[in-house]
Amino acid sequence: PATVPPPSDAVVLFDGADLSGWRSARDGRPAAWKVEGGAMVVESRTGDIVSAESFGDVQLHIEWATPAAVSGDGQGRGNSGVFLMERYEIQVLDSFQNPTYPDGQAAAIYGQTPPLVNASRRPGDWQAFDIVFIAPRFAQGVVISPARVTVHHNGVLVQHDVALMGATAHRVVGVYEPHPPAAPLKLQDHGNPVRFRNIWVRRLGG
């Protein structure tokens, strides 16, 4: 499908040319993933990457593709993740005819909320997330308003204004810990060669 061009007020985080907008999540050095064919590609075991800029409430558009040649099953097929504020994950996975646990499939709020429907395309096809994320609010170290997220996967509404239980994790009940009102986005290196392109965000609420 055609990519969605960034609107005039968007911050373009990846335009297909280079990784200047990204850093290693581990040590802050330049991102070690590679760029080919207008996409950034996870270089296995080089680690997660984070955006150089920080964000709070955002609209995020990101396109991704898992390998066309299927290898593995369940969580071993095209596994990655899009993390809002480095801690709230929307799962990336090849979920086309690939059973796994419900809150681990593509477009799940990982470990918390399965998508309303499986909107996955075939392996190798480009897919898109359009995410509206509202950051949590804290007062005196206590969360007074949870993070909320709406996700469209390939144009299909799969998460509708869902309140997050806290930071996402595997088989752990999410909890909130106070954090700054803005933080980087993070893309996960889970050992699978996932591709990303056309990444842009709009800051919401000023």
Side-chain angles (χ1 to χ4, degrees), residues 40-147:
M40 64 164 74
V41 184
V42 180
E43 283 284 76
S44 181
R45 303 310 175 194
T46 58
D48 301 345
I49 62 173
V50 294
S51 61
E53 293 192 49
S54 293
F55 304 93
D57 299 353
V58 293
Q59 175 190 351
L60 167 65
H61 177 85
I62 183 167
E63 298 169 19
W64 54 273
T66 61
V70 173
S71 176
D73 55 22
Q75 293 292 299
R77 260 174 66 176
N79 193 325
S80 184
V82 177
F83 287 75
L84 291 307
M85 305 190 87
E86 297 188 89
R87 50 179 61 78
Y88 307 110
E89 181 184 8
I90 307 302
Q91 173 78 325
V92 169
L93 192 77
D94 175 6
S95 285
F96 186 84
Q97 298 179 354
N98 179 29
T100 188
Y101 48 90
D103 56 15
Q105 64 184 298
I109 302 170
Y110 186 75
Q112 296 187 19
T113 309
L116 294 170
V117 66
N118 183 348
S120 297
R121 295 185 175 129
R122 292 179 177 276
D125 288 355
W126 281 103
Q127 313 202 44
F129 283 164
D130 288 284
I131 299 168
V132 174
F133 174 78
I134 306 301
R137 271 49 173 181
F138 298 91
Q140 298 178 338
V142 177
V143 63
I144 58 172
S145 179

